[in-house]
Amino acid sequence: MAANLPTQAQVQGGAGVTEPGISHDEHAHHDEHHEQSFLQKYVFSTDHKVIAKQFLITGIIWAIIGGTLSSLFRLQLGWPESTFEWLSPFLGKWIEAGKLNPEFYLALVTMHGTIMVFFVLTAGLSGTFSNFLIPLQIGARDMASGFMNMLSYWFFFASSVVMFVSLFLETGPASAGWTIYPPLSALPQAIPGSGAGQTFWLVSMALFIVSQLLGGVNYITTVINLRTQGMSMSKLPLTIWAFFLTAILGLLSFPVLFSAALLLIFDRSFGTSFFLSDIYIAGQALPNTGGSPILFQHLFWFLGHPEVYIVIMPAMGMVSEILATNARKPIFGYRAMIGSLLGISLLSFIVWAHHMFVTGMNPFLGSVFMFLTLIIAVPSAVKTFNWLATLWRGNIRFTSAMLFSIGFVSLFIAGGLTGIVLGNAALDIQMHNTYFVVAHFHLVMGSSAFFGLFAGVYHWFPKMFGRMLDEKLGYVHFWLTFLGVYLVFLPMHYVGIAGFPRRYYAWTGFDSFSQFADLNKFISAAAIIAFFAQFVFIFNFFYSIFRGRRATENPWNSTTLEWTTPVVPGHGNWPGAIPAVHRWPYDYSKPGAAEDFIPQHIPYSQTQSSNLPYEKEME
Ligand code: HEM
Ligand SMILES: [Cu+2]
């Protein structure tokens, strides 16, 4: 399977790094002789593979922090009467006489949500795999602009530093929830976390959005311009379709959050009243008039809803790829998969107000948003059906990546169903701001996106590091996590239906909720165990980078282009010419074929016995 196919049309318009032929030998040269300094190679690198690893490792660090915060607030919810003296050395003044400070509790949930949604599942997931896979799977030497790509990581890094520092502020980090609704977020005097912590949050988010936009423009340009010869849009792996559409979603919605954040900064620091009106503090009227806190919600959710798809679509793409590879079957309904991604992308812009059914909006408007929201169930169901049909009668290999992908489908179904419940305004009015919503989005987004992330790491680790992750540890990690998330989030539906509100520090003051005392303990225990199970993965990850079994070029017998590169691809990805592409990425178990997979770069002329009638005419 020599990869030295014609190169002349390696359509590498523009960007210097990726010019075929000319630059490449130079790059190989660089690599072998270490002319690049350590700093250029590993720190301020413009190589998409290094940048991907930077995103991944930063994401893992954030996930550990985000998980620790949730363990802390679950301790409080599970054992509200107990004291936690042993935490005093770590939490300082946030814990008094063993009791968590209620305002610190709000800071914990706010930072947990912010970190998980943006820093782990957006930057860590999408940033890692868009960077790693786009050039490798479309057949490009690097991103369109390596420099912008590097900036994208370093803006994320700067944003991370600001957010991290805010954890240690005297008055604590932001505490208005990950959705930072005003007036709580707009009035620095409201609660301690509304002060400097909120300012840091906004500055960090602004930097984060710059990072997202730099990355997104680059991904889009790369996919449009740098595909190798033969790689038409209809031969793209679904991963790339997902990353491509995700980048478009980000590009169109993050700027709206940016403007909302900017206006909020003005309200906080420069006396404007975009989001404030008629506010009284301790009987004293504030001068602000004319603004609307609901306006903020509209701006926030105009990003916020697409954001949940920014988080989930890359995972969907990777899961599609991994399911087909390990079921040894073509993905079922390739075009329907692309169509449903397109459908979800379009719809995701016109449903945002389903987060706002209780804001007093006109019920007619509510019913329009309800209608549009429920339509999303259609493309979501198409995808689910196609994943299941791909598995159906497949020759399934239960690799760790495959287990996590199947887990993804399971969680997406379990969490998606309750979306349909919440999408009904009449039901949502009862359920809004209860644990039912928390259960919904932790299954459908939190857990399933994490499963997509894990699936991706188990599957592409060999290409990233040239070594394999340990599969036995992978199984342990999978089962503990899979059982863990269901044990944590299924019971939450139950307490949510009973009206248990989210973001409450203590429920002991409410008689009707004391019946959930045991259930809350159970959820907390399961959550903390599931959190500690993640260290199996973290150990496996760092151990295997150095000590894992050595990988081969194509350990999963996969069809896509990244597996035609050397075990650890160098700068420029292919030592010789970039292979041209002749077929779609899902030629698994083709009748009449010599093997159960035919890579994308193999021409039909070499596979006569397996060609379908119309494929015979194509060469
Ligand atoms: C059939 C599809 C879905 C429908 C109809 C749906 C509907 C809803 C509705 C109506 C809410 C608002 C509940 C409330 O606050 O009262 C909501 C919350 C949420 N949904 Fe979904 N959803 C669906 C799928 C998804 C998916 C796929 C994701 C993420 C990948 C997601 C993530 C979220 C998040 C993060 C929230 C809560 C945000 C917050 O208030 O903090 N949903 N969903
Ligand atoms: Cu939404």
Side-chain angles (χ1 to χ4, degrees), residues 1 4 23 39 44 79 105 124 150 164 207 214 256 262 282 310 320 330 432 434 436 446 458 473 481 521 572 599:
M1 278 174 226
N4 47 358
S23 60
L39 221 59
F44 296 106
W79 295 273
Y105 178 86
M150 178 188 83
F164 186 74
L207 294 168
L214 286 167
V256 179
L262 203 63
I310 290 174
S320 304
H432 180 65
T434 68
F436 193 84
Y458 281 103
L473 288 178
T481 311
K521 272 195 196 53

Side-chain angles (χ1 to χ4, degrees), residues 357-418:
F357 286 140
V358 299
T359 52
M361 66 162 108
N362 185 318
F364 178 70
L365 191 59
S367 54
V368 173
F369 275 104
M370 176 172 107
F371 175 72
L372 294 169
T373 296
L374 293 179
I375 295 179
I376 295 203
V378 177
S380 308
V382 167
K383 300 203 81 70
T384 308
F385 176 79
N386 289 354
W387 287 320
L388 296 179
T390 304
L391 289 172
W392 179 251
R393 303 185 71 180
N395 179 15
I396 296 178
R397 297 184 311 201
F398 289 103
T399 62
S400 304
M402 184 64 162
L403 288 175
F404 274 103
S405 300
I406 296 171
F408 170 95
V409 177
S410 160
L411 291 164
F412 187 72
I413 297 173
L417 285 176
T418 52

Side-chain angles (χ1 to χ4, degrees), residues 12-347:
Q12 312 282 24
V17 201
T18 53
E19 244 135 53
I22 331 165
S23 60
H24 191 66
D25 286 347
E26 261 175 22
H27 285 300
H29 188 73
H30 273 285
D31 261 9
E32 278 157 29
H33 301 280
H34 293 280
E35 281 174 16
Q36 286 178 312
S37 65
F38 178 84
L39 221 59
Q40 279 170 326
K41 209 168 164 198
Y42 296 108
V43 183
F44 296 106
S45 170
T46 55
D47 184 321
H48 70 103
K49 301 182 290 301
V50 177
I51 296 172
K53 292 177 201 171
Q54 292 174 324
F55 271 108
L56 180 58
I57 293 187
T58 316
I60 290 177
I61 295 170
W62 271 124
I64 297 173
I65 299 174
T68 308
L69 301 183
S70 64
S71 301
L72 285 174
F73 63 68
R74 271 319 316 183
L75 271 182
Q76 164 65 26
L77 284 172
W79 295 273
E81 319 265 52
S82 312
T83 52
F84 307 105
E85 283 298 351
W86 56 276
L87 284 172
S88 308
F90 308 103
L91 298 182
K93 71 181 168 63
W94 295 116
I95 190 158
E96 279 162 36
K99 287 296 206 189
L100 222 58
N101 177 324
E103 263 138 10
F104 185 58
Y105 178 86
L106 289 180
L108 287 175
V109 289
T110 301
M111 295 309 277
H112 165 76
T114 304
I115 289 169
M116 290 302 195
V117 172
F118 294 112
F119 291 64
V120 181
L121 296 178
T122 306
L125 196 168
S126 180
T128 299
F129 289 101
S130 301
N131 265 304
F132 193 72
L133 292 178
I134 288 176
L136 282 172
Q137 287 196 330
I138 67 170
R141 301 238 179 253
D142 206 312
M143 286 286 180
S145 165
F147 179 69
M148 257 167 78
N149 212 20
M150 178 188 83
L151 279 187
S152 160
Y153 175 74
W154 286 102
F155 268 96
F156 169 50
F157 186 83
S159 144
S160 294
V161 169
V162 176
M163 196 60 88
F164 186 74
V165 168
S166 83
L167 289 169
F168 303 96
L169 290 171
E170 177 73 32
T171 48
S175 307
W178 79 280
T179 55
I180 58 154
Y181 285 177
L184 192 54
S185 58
L187 299 171
Q189 67 274 40
I191 51 172
S194 303
Q198 189 63 54
T199 306
F200 274 59
W201 193 100
L202 289 163
V203 170
S204 165
M205 245 12 241
L207 294 168
F208 185 88
I209 293 169
V210 174
S211 152
Q212 284 299 305
L213 298 182
L214 286 167
V217 174
N218 215 359
Y219 306 155
I220 294 170
T221 314
T222 308
V223 172
I224 292 179
N225 288 322
L226 299 189
R227 283 170 286 127
T228 186
Q229 185 184 22
M231 182 65 94
S232 60
M233 291 304 270
S234 57
K235 291 199 179 74
L236 279 183
L238 289 171
T239 30
I240 304 300
W241 269 105
F243 299 146
F244 179 62
L245 292 171
T246 302
I248 295 176
L249 287 191
L251 208 61
L252 296 179
S253 60
F254 266 115
V256 179
L257 180 65
F258 191 89
S259 55
L262 203 63
L263 298 184
L264 194 53
I265 290 176
F266 287 170
D267 274 11
R268 292 169 54 79
S269 308
F270 307 118
T272 58
S273 302
F274 291 106
F275 305 127
L276 296 170
S277 192
D278 306 312
I279 308 246
Y280 292 82
I281 294 185
Q284 196 93 47
L286 296 190
N288 311 77
T289 49
S292 159
I294 305 292
L295 169 64
F296 180 87
Q297 295 194 21
H298 281 294
L299 295 176
F300 181 86
W301 287 114
F302 191 82
L303 159 90
H305 186 80
E307 168 63 20
V308 305
Y309 287 98
I310 290 174
V311 163
I312 206 77
M313 289 205 322
M316 288 174 160
M318 294 195 291
V319 162
S320 304
E321 190 66 29
I322 295 168
L323 286 180
T325 305
N326 291 294
R328 312 310 287 164
K329 274 182 65 187
I331 191 84
F332 189 91
Y334 173 73
R335 276 166 199 275
M337 286 306 228
I338 298 173
S340 53
L341 282 177
L342 278 166
I344 290 176
S345 303
L346 282 177
L347 285 168

Side-chain angles (χ1 to χ4, degrees), residues 301 304-306 308-309 348 351-355 373 440:
W301 287 114
H305 186 80
V308 305
Y309 287 98
S348 74
V351 299
W352 76 90
H354 64 212
H355 295 275
T373 296
H440 158 66

